[in-house]
Amino acid sequence: MKGKSQNKSRSDNISRTEKNGKGKNHQQWLMELRESEKLYRTVADFTYDWEYWLDRNGQLLYVSPSCERITGYKREEFIKKPSLVQEIIVAKDKGIWHEHRFSLEKKIESRDVQFRIHKRNGQICWIEHVCQPVINEKGSFFGFRVSNRDITERKQMEESLRISRSNLNRAQEVAHLGSWYLDLIKNELLWSDEIYRIFGVNLGSAMTYEKFLEIVHPEDREYVDDSWKAALDGKPYDIEHRIIVSGELKWVREKAEIEFNEEGKAVSGIGTVQDITDRKQAEEDSHRLREELMHVSRVAAMGELTAALAHELNQPLAAILSNAQAAQRFLMSEEPDLDEIREIISDIVKDDKRASEVIIRIRALLRRSDFEFTKLNINKVIEEVIPLVSSDSVIKNIALSTELDDKIPLISGDRIQLQQVILNLILNGFEAMMKVNVRSLCIHTTQNDQMFITVSVEDSGVGIEEKNQDHLFKPFFTTKKDGMGMGLAINGAIIEAHGGHLWAKNNPDQGATFCFTLPVCKEHSK
Amino acid sequence: MNESNPTVFIVDDDASVRKSLERLIKSVGFNAETFTSAEEFLSRKPYGGPSCLILDVCMPGLSGIDLHKKLTREEIPIPIIFITGHGDIPMSVKAIKNGAVDFLPKPFDKKELISAINQAIDRDVHTRKLLIEKEEIQHRLNTLTPREFQVLRWVITGMLNKQIAYELGVTEKTIKVHRGRVMQKMQIDSVAELVRLAQKVGIAPPNK
């Protein structure tokens, strides 16, 4: 098959062929035909894919040598045994082959299928099998020209792409986090499967920005839309908002980045949506729980205070009653001393106000409220607590004193919550001193630096046992017989919510000191 | 201040309570005097007339309870009415057992207070009367010789002169003379009267 003319240029061959029809002699014609056959045979033999020609009866007329490269079998083997093609197809894909053959018997047309074969060395190879009917100039069918292409690599890539897509999809499902792409020119919003799930929209439904907005909670729509418009102007887009999915409320967090073209026009956005409903729920629960615990601990602290507070009320009430009855006596005389009576009435008014102030203070302490941060002078906060415990300190024979830095800078905090902390620390101190003879408690305020102030409550009680040091601030830890173990844990939480820190230490001589820091109000940290 | 007029002393650390009580007590006709602390009251010179003390239980420094103990220890028998802002029942029971006239939880009504004051003053008048009587008996007792006092202690046991003479190892005649002098010095006529006087000043019969 190989001839000397193999290396001849193509233009030569063509020029000879053109001369072909113009009455050359037979010898010359045969030679030219042979040359031509050589040429096409060469073209066929050097084909990269595994090609063959099946005649109308299914006999192999031609097999390209590249079959060996793809299958490991030589072309002679295929020619000798045409069924070899079918035999090397992997068992699972034989059905594809049979169906393909059957359809070609019913209708002659160009068709392609994909299946796997066992190569001679046992490896598996993906084949793209294309059958092209061979029809001559007169329209007669001369069998099929078949191309088999090794597509193993492509298949592997497709598979790894599929795996990575499915992993991404599963990861998104696990994280409740979906991704999206918005083509701003076409207003085409592409969602990952997870977003469809989060938003409760049928998988694959065509989406637009407007359709997305419809799912957003009506109260949040304006906020989302404004944020998105700001993002288009170059602002960061990282928002949390609510959506309504089949009547149920969900919380999502959205983040996005915008792509701009050379003219600076926004062309597309890519972003994520995370379902944070559970986190929001947990946040709300823990917030409510903390509020409740704080309330409970305040009520508990009030219980301890009841005796002292009763005293605070009974004093003015006793004075009012005695004054009023003295006034009644004076009025019974023939010439009542009106000046005396006037003075009595003014004293009654004064004591009545004193009693109602006690009530207001108790009410304020018992009130359940959110944190209300205002600028505070911590000394004033402490001075308001002292009257609540001063009679308790008298009964318990405790010397209660304060050493307050009168140049202390203002802090930002919740007055009631801070009073609760101070009250609780004082009452703890009182309790710690019941078994000792020398009982003194002193509250100090000092400024540490530009940033922080410290409040310390120093007692002369039994101190903190070393084994308890680490557990002191843990919830439900208590050394008291009837304690709940929440006081210090809640105090710690309150102080931390103020940006400060609460700790305790034993004094060198006797007792313990509880200290907490609070950040100085920024405008005042000169 | 007229010391024959009953006086009410008020000790309370709360200025409002002090002032209002002073007014009320004066309005019903007693003298009233106020003190801000137990220590201040103790520094006052003793009062001669009938009086009582209105005492707050809880005060800085010496508490009302402490003052009561101190007065009892020093045999100053002023009747005490405790007042308190803490309605503490165990404390009130203890105070009454220790001799307080009354224990009034604040706020208290005028009627309760005046009734307690009247009771306290009555008790003080009575105590003072007893005290004067006792002083007089003591005064007479001081005129007895040691031997006469010894005989007195035997006489109040109800023994006959003969028996006493035997106990003391002297003659019956001697005892008769001593007994006569005792009755004369004590200004009484009967053994029964002697026994009553001895009881008032707490003279016990001799131990055998």
Side-chain angles (χ1 to χ4, degrees), chain A residues 15-33:
Chain A
S15 68
R16 279 167 194 250
T17 314
E18 275 168 358
K19 288 170 191 166
N20 196 1
K22 293 181 180 169
K24 304 275 170 176
N25 65 41
H26 184 71
Q27 192 96 29
Q28 214 172 350
W29 184 79
L30 270 176
M31 223 172 77
E32 282 179 10
L33 186 68

Side-chain angles (χ1 to χ4, degrees), chain B residues 61-117:
Chain B
L62 209 57
S63 76
I65 301 289
D66 294 334
L67 177 63
H68 185 195
K69 278 185 200 156
K70 194 173 165 68
L71 293 175
T72 310
R73 211 167 37 241
E74 291 175 13
E75 294 180 4
I76 301 170
I78 184 164
I80 293 174
I81 300 161
F82 277 112
I83 55 173
T84 178
H86 308 268
D88 188 334
I89 293 169
M91 198 193 270
S92 65
V93 170
K94 211 172 154 198
I96 303 279
K97 273 188 179 168
N98 287 337
V101 176
D102 215 334
F103 193 100
L104 303 177
K106 291 176 193 172
F108 39 79
D109 190 78
K110 182 186 77 177
K111 264 190 267 173
E112 292 174 88
L113 180 70
I114 301 304
S115 136
I117 291 175

Side-chain angles (χ1 to χ4, degrees), chain A residues 291-344:
Chain A
E291 291 280 309
E292 275 168 15
L293 275 174
M294 284 180 180
H295 177 67
V296 165
S297 87
R298 271 205 293 277
V299 171
M302 283 307 115
E304 293 167 36
L305 266 182
T306 311
L309 289 169
H311 187 254
E312 291 300 322
L313 278 179
N314 286 336
Q315 293 291 75
L317 286 179
I320 289 169
L321 187 56
S322 298
N323 273 325
Q325 290 182 326
Q328 284 175 334
R329 287 284 309 181
F330 288 134
L331 285 169
M332 275 155 60
S333 70
E334 287 189 0
E335 280 177 33
D337 181 345
L338 288 179
D339 285 341
E340 177 79 27
I341 290 167
R342 237 175 251 127
E343 206 184 310
I344 288 175

Side-chain angles (χ1 to χ4, degrees), chain B residues 32-43:
Chain B
E33 208 176 305
T34 61
F35 303 87
T36 59
S37 68
E39 288 85 350
E40 196 187 329
F41 174 72
L42 283 172
S43 66

Side-chain angles (χ1 to χ4, degrees), chain A residues 2-280:
Chain A
K2 286 169 190 171
K4 282 176 197 167
S5 60
Q6 199 173 330
N7 292 331
K8 276 193 177 163
S9 76
R10 194 177 170 148
S11 63
D12 267 1
N13 274 314
I14 290 167
S15 68
R16 279 167 194 250
T17 314
E18 275 168 358
K19 288 170 191 166
N20 196 1
K22 293 181 180 169
K24 304 275 170 176
N25 65 41
H26 184 71
Q27 192 96 29
Q28 214 172 350
W29 184 79
L30 270 176
M31 223 172 77
E32 282 179 10
L33 186 68
R34 236 175 257 132
E35 285 290 314
S36 163
E37 193 196 318
K38 253 187 211 168
L39 176 72
Y40 288 107
R41 172 64 71 134
T42 307
V43 170
D45 282 354
F46 279 83
T47 180
Y48 183 73
D49 292 335
W50 160 30
E51 310 264 357
Y52 58 87
W53 184 0
L54 276 175
D55 71 6
R56 272 180 295 197
N57 306 317
Q59 290 303 306
L60 278 168
L61 294 180
Y62 171 78
V63 179
S64 72
S66 49
C67 67
E68 195 177 343
R69 181 184 63 82
I70 294 172
T71 66
Y73 296 98
K74 291 190 188 308
R75 73 158 127 185
E76 290 75 18
E77 291 174 271
F78 283 105
I79 290 167
K80 212 166 144 192
K81 193 185 179 191
S83 66
L84 184 59
V85 177
Q86 187 188 322
E87 279 169 23
I88 62 175
I89 293 174
V90 303
K92 273 189 178 168
D93 293 354
K94 282 203 160 72
I96 299 172
W97 172 262
H98 288 306
E99 203 180 305
H100 170 66
R101 299 295 309 173
F102 182 68
S103 76
L104 284 178
E105 271 164 32
K106 281 171 83 179
K107 195 181 178 193
I108 294 161
E109 58 178 5
S110 175
R111 264 179 197 279
D112 70 282
V113 287
Q114 294 175 358
F115 51 77
R116 287 161 290 178
I117 58 160
H118 288 290
K119 287 164 87 159
R120 172 167 260 164
N121 64 8
Q123 279 179 346
I124 290 196
C125 174
W126 268 100
I127 296 293
E128 185 176 50
H129 176 87
V130 185
C131 286
Q132 177 75 24
V134 180
I135 314 284
N136 74 355
E137 308 92 78
K138 290 171 187 154
S140 309
F141 174 58
F142 279 92
F144 286 101
R145 176 78 161 69
V146 180
S147 294
N148 292 295
R149 172 161 290 191
D150 180 349
I151 56 162
T152 310
E153 226 168 86
R154 195 179 91 201
K155 276 285 174 187
Q156 279 167 351
M157 276 167 66
E158 275 175 15
E159 178 64 7
S160 75
L161 187 64
R162 193 190 62 77
I163 290 172
S164 109
R165 272 221 188 103
S166 125
N167 282 349
L168 180 65
N169 205 6
R170 278 170 58 194
Q172 291 201 349
E173 202 177 334
V174 170
H176 297 302
L177 184 135
S179 53
W180 54 264
Y181 174 83
L182 175 61
D183 186 326
L184 288 161
I185 312 293
K186 294 189 227 159
N187 188 19
E188 200 176 64
L189 182 56
L190 299 176
W191 277 358
S192 73
D193 293 356
E194 183 56 20
I195 305 195
Y196 282 105
R197 276 191 288 270
I198 294 172
F199 279 63
V201 175
N202 286 335
L203 217 64
S205 312
M207 293 306 295
T208 59
Y209 177 68
E210 287 71 27
K211 282 186 186 166
F212 151 74
L213 266 190
E214 276 170 30
I215 305 169
V216 173
H217 191 287
E219 286 171 24
D220 291 353
R221 250 171 235 164
E222 202 181 325
Y223 164 65
V224 171
D225 196 36
D226 288 351
S227 305
W228 178 244
K229 278 175 186 148
L232 294 179
D233 282 342
K235 302 254 163 52
Y237 185 72
D238 183 353
I239 57 168
E240 288 180 3
H241 66 83
R242 292 165 294 175
I243 56 173
I244 303 281
V245 177
S246 48
E248 263 182 64
L249 187 127
K250 280 187 179 183
W251 273 95
V252 292
R253 178 177 180 184
E254 297 226 28
K255 281 175 121 174
E257 274 180 16
I258 312 290
E259 301 274 328
F260 298 91
N261 66 7
E262 279 132 27
E263 289 97 58
K265 188 175 182 275
V267 288
S268 65
I270 186 160
T272 58
V273 176
Q274 187 174 14
D275 184 345
I276 53 166
T277 312
D278 289 349
R279 196 194 83 199
K280 281 278 175 185

Side-chain angles (χ1 to χ4, degrees), chain A residues 480-494:
Chain A
K480 299 177 192 172
K481 193 170 76 233
D482 49 1
M484 205 166 59
M486 290 312 294
L488 284 176
I490 289 168
N491 289 348
I494 293 173

Side-chain angles (χ1 to χ4, degrees), chain B:
Chain B
M1 193 189 287
N2 181 359
E3 292 211 351
S4 66
N5 200 11
T7 295
V8 179
F9 299 107
I10 303 158
V11 183
D12 196 314
D13 59 318
D14 189 294
S16 290
V17 173
R18 255 190 341 260
K19 197 169 168 193
S20 65
L21 280 181
E22 186 182 4
R23 276 193 188 116
L24 182 62
I25 288 163
K26 279 182 174 168
S27 78
V28 294
F30 295 106
N31 289 334
E33 208 176 305
T34 61
F35 303 87
T36 59
S37 68
E39 288 85 350
E40 196 187 329
F41 174 72
L42 283 172
S43 66
R44 191 204 189 278
K45 66 176 169 54
Y47 180 71
S51 61
C52 72
L53 176 60
I54 294 180
L55 184 56
D56 188 27
V57 175
C58 299
M59 288 181 294
L62 209 57
S63 76
I65 301 289
D66 294 334
L67 177 63
H68 185 195
K69 278 185 200 156
K70 194 173 165 68
L71 293 175
T72 310
R73 211 167 37 241
E74 291 175 13
E75 294 180 4
I76 301 170
I78 184 164
I80 293 174
I81 300 161
F82 277 112
I83 55 173
T84 178
H86 308 268
D88 188 334
I89 293 169
M91 198 193 270
S92 65
V93 170
K94 211 172 154 198
I96 303 279
K97 273 188 179 168
N98 287 337
V101 176
D102 215 334
F103 193 100
L104 303 177
K106 291 176 193 172
F108 39 79
D109 190 78
K110 182 186 77 177
K111 264 190 267 173
E112 292 174 88
L113 180 70
I114 301 304
S115 136
I117 291 175
N118 282 329
Q119 203 188 327
I121 297 288
D122 284 351
R123 194 196 279 191
D124 194 44
V125 168
H126 180 67
T127 312
R128 279 169 189 278
K129 216 176 89 189
L130 278 182
L131 203 65
I132 290 162
E133 202 179 7
K134 211 165 132 186
E135 271 169 13
E136 214 197 26
I137 296 165
Q138 194 62 49
H139 183 72
R140 285 183 232 161
L141 279 173
N142 290 345
T143 63
L144 300 182
T145 65
R147 193 63 169 177
E148 283 164 1
F149 186 69
Q150 195 183 24
V151 170
L152 180 148
R153 289 178 75 195
W154 284 107
V155 171
I156 60 172
T157 63
M159 278 203 240
L160 300 170
N161 289 346
K162 192 160 59 180
Q163 288 167 307
I164 298 169
Y166 173 78
E167 286 291 336
L168 296 178
V170 294
T171 63
E172 193 185 342
K173 178 78 180 167
T174 313
I175 295 301
K176 200 180 170 184
V177 171
H178 281 314
R179 181 193 281 242
R181 288 214 188 110
V182 167
M183 299 303 263
Q184 186 197 354
K185 283 183 177 172
M186 294 308 288
Q187 304 169 10
I188 47 169
D189 306 317
S190 68
V191 175
E193 244 177 305
L194 184 67
V195 171
R196 199 174 53 80
L197 286 188
Q199 259 173 0
K200 273 187 183 164
V201 292
I203 297 168
N207 296 323
K208 280 195 183 170

